[in-house]
Amino acid sequence: MIQQQTILKVADNSGAKHVKCIKVLGGFKRKFAYTGDIIVVSVVKLRNKSKFNSKVKKGEVYRALILKTRNSTSRKSGFKKLFKENVVCLLNKQGKPLGTRIFSLVPFELKKHKWIKISSLSPGLI
């Protein structure tokens, strides 16, 4: 579960390392977001080598797609998945990924939705 003020890791090569959740999109009075949801984030920390030539700047606001959450979720087959960290991928205003690569594995549920581009950029599916 992701809510406001949650610190998340960034899994793409956009230049950001950590972001903070500002708002959960998708409805009136919605408080929590899960895997596959879109949130509004602010960049908190940049990667060391990409401070001068990164696509993002510290303090800028972007939309992000949640790839992994620490909260356990179950599939129809009874399999429970639990990750060690909260991970997002930054999106531009059109809803396309900001980076050209994704470094972490993405859940299979994202491929069933409209996020086929993100699943093809990642090294594999879980």
Side-chain angles (χ1 to χ4, degrees):
M1 295 186 309
I2 306 299
Q3 59 185 354
Q4 286 187 7
Q5 303 296 320
T6 304
I7 302 292
L8 306 121
K9 287 188 177 182
V10 179
D12 58 6
N13 62 346
S14 60
K17 188 173 186 180
H18 294 291
V19 293
K20 182 186 281 190
C21 177
I22 297 174
K23 182 71 177 163
V24 177
L25 298 178
F28 179 66
K29 290 188 178 179
R30 186 167 179 198
K31 294 187 178 185
F32 302 114
Y34 302 98
T35 303
D37 292 340
I38 297 177
I39 58 175
V40 178
V41 296
S42 173
V43 177
V44 174
K45 188 176 181 183
L46 297 175
R47 295 191 186 274
N48 287 336
K49 294 183 179 179
S50 62
K51 285 187 179 179
F52 300 109
N53 56 1
S54 68
K55 298 177 184 176
V56 299
K57 301 278 189 271
K58 184 177 176 182
E60 286 186 348
V61 177
Y62 293 97
R63 290 184 181 208
L65 173 71
I66 300 175
L67 300 178
K68 297 179 184 179
T69 57
R70 292 186 69 182
N71 188 23
S72 66
T73 57
S74 60
R75 295 182 177 164
K76 288 184 179 180
S77 62
F79 176 72
K80 284 194 170 189
K81 57 181 178 171
L82 178 69
F83 301 109
K84 292 182 180 179
E85 56 202 12
N86 298 320
V87 178
V88 297
C89 171
L90 295 181
L91 305 173
N92 60 9
K93 291 186 179 181
Q94 288 80 26
K96 296 182 180 178
L98 202 61
T100 57
R101 290 186 295 164
I102 295 179
F103 301 124
S104 71
L105 300 172
V106 298
F108 183 73
E109 289 82 15
L110 292 180
K111 191 172 183 180
K112 288 193 282 186
H113 299 301
K114 62 177 183 176
W115 303 110
I116 297 171
K117 174 73 174 174
I118 290 178
S119 62
S120 66
L121 290 175
S122 70
L125 298 172
I126 297 175

